[in-house]
Amino acid sequence: MIRIAANDLKDLIIKTLRSQSSVVFEEGNPFYLKIDSEEYLFFIKNISPAYFKQNPDITRVQIPSSKHFLNLNDNIPLIVIGYDEANDVIVVWDPRKIRARLNIKSNVSVYSRLTLQKDVNYLDVSTGYLSNNDKILLSKRKNILMLLSTLRTVFEIKTDQIDFKKHIKYNNSDIEKAISSLGSKFIELINSNEKLAATQLLIRELEKKDASFTLKECSDYLKSNYFLN
């Protein structure tokens, strides 16, 4: 997939927004952005292949662990914008779920599908569903304002009522630390789509660390974050 330089990508998105509305923004990535009266925090990155051999249709954006995510205002929605240059399409994810996963490992991946990106038309915002039932929104870049408006409705975003902590059911960092300890053996099970074996291996590792999780909690977490095809 074609990628453009990070600074050029940010400039492209800002230019698109400024052609349609009044925009104030800050430096960096993530960064604060105000469109008319609406406030956002944006993190913008190129979409890339996920490199799943069994399903080359899966694409992703990787969000690196960063101290810059620690000081973001919890009352302003954080929008991760993935950009597919070849199709001139942008993809966004549920801001609450993004917040819940930040900095739990060196790179957090959010996923899309190349077929969905190719099928976006020039007039509407498209809705896509991943195999874990997560919802994504897609549009042509020129329709970014329409996309942001749809995002606020679909994901019920109200800046004065956001409580991201209530969306974290258990300590994800404990699970990710256990997964990191398992190394290549765990990755092999993920790549071969052995859900039960991977879940059982994770449970045993968590028990060694005196972390209390049920089989269902571990299974649900792996389905949402690792088994995506």
Side-chain angles (χ1 to χ4, degrees):
M1 297 182 73
I2 303 171
R3 305 184 194 186
I4 63 177
N7 288 338
D8 292 340
L9 178 54
K10 179 176 178 179
D11 289 345
L12 178 65
I13 297 299
I14 296 298
K15 181 179 179 180
T16 305
L17 288 166
R18 279 184 161 169
S19 70
Q20 305 172 36
S21 189
S22 173
V23 176
V24 176
F25 69 98
E26 296 180 353
E27 298 301 313
N29 191 31
F31 62 97
Y32 171 84
L33 179 83
K34 188 173 183 180
I35 306 171
D36 293 329
S37 62
E38 298 285 2
E39 294 183 298
Y40 298 93
L41 296 164
F42 273 17
F43 179 76
I44 303 173
K45 198 168 182 183
N46 289 287
I47 295 174
S48 63
Y51 300 107
F52 290 145
K53 292 181 180 179
Q54 296 177 342
N55 195 343
D57 187 47
I58 299 176
T59 57
R60 69 183 177 187
V61 165
Q62 288 191 300
I63 309 168
S65 176
S66 171
K67 63 181 181 181
H68 297 297
F69 289 118
L70 299 176
N71 299 317
L72 299 180
N73 188 330
D74 283 348
N75 292 317
I76 302 176
L78 172 63
I79 314 299
V80 171
I81 295 180
Y83 182 60
D84 172 357
E85 201 275 343
N87 296 293
D88 199 19
V89 161
I90 54 179
V91 181
V92 296
W93 294 261
D94 186 340
R96 295 185 179 92
K97 291 187 176 182
I98 294 293
R99 287 272 191 169
R101 297 182 61 199
L102 288 176
N103 287 349
I104 61 174
K105 55 182 179 178
S106 58
N107 277 292
V108 169
S109 293
V110 290
Y111 292 90
S112 179
R113 296 292 185 274
L114 184 58
T115 48
L116 293 175
Q117 292 157 211
K118 288 181 176 179
D119 287 345
V120 173
N121 66 50
Y122 286 89
L123 300 176
D124 302 315
V125 173
S126 301
T127 301
Y129 291 89
L130 305 180
S131 56
N132 62 358
N133 291 322
D134 275 0
K135 185 184 295 184
I136 61 174
L137 301 177
L138 312 91
S139 78
K140 291 295 184 180
R141 172 176 52 84
K142 73 179 184 66
N143 292 328
I144 186 170
L145 287 181
M146 186 191 307
L147 178 66
L148 292 174
S149 177
T150 303
L151 177 143
R152 284 185 170 273
T153 301
V154 169
F155 295 124
E156 299 179 350
I157 299 301
K158 297 180 180 179
T159 55
D160 59 344
Q161 296 181 4
I162 297 176
D163 182 4
F164 298 101
K165 293 183 175 62
K166 73 180 181 182
H167 293 272
I168 306 174
K169 297 180 179 178
Y170 38 78
N171 191 342
N172 293 344
S173 64
D174 286 344
I175 294 182
E176 287 298 333
K177 287 176 183 177
I179 289 172
S180 296
S181 300
L182 292 171
S184 60
K185 186 175 182 180
F186 176 80
I187 298 301
E188 288 172 5
L189 293 175
I190 295 297
N191 289 338
S192 58
N193 208 37
E194 296 184 45
K195 296 181 176 67
L196 180 58
T199 303
Q200 292 173 334
L201 183 66
L202 177 59
I203 282 284
R204 290 195 293 270
E205 185 65 23
L206 287 164
E207 288 174 348
K208 292 178 186 177
K209 300 179 181 299
D210 295 323
S212 179
F213 293 89
T214 67
L215 183 66
K216 185 178 186 306
E217 285 174 338
C218 288
S219 177
D220 288 347
Y221 184 82
L222 294 182
K223 285 178 182 178
S224 295
N225 297 284
Y226 288 89
F227 291 113
L228 297 165
N229 57 343

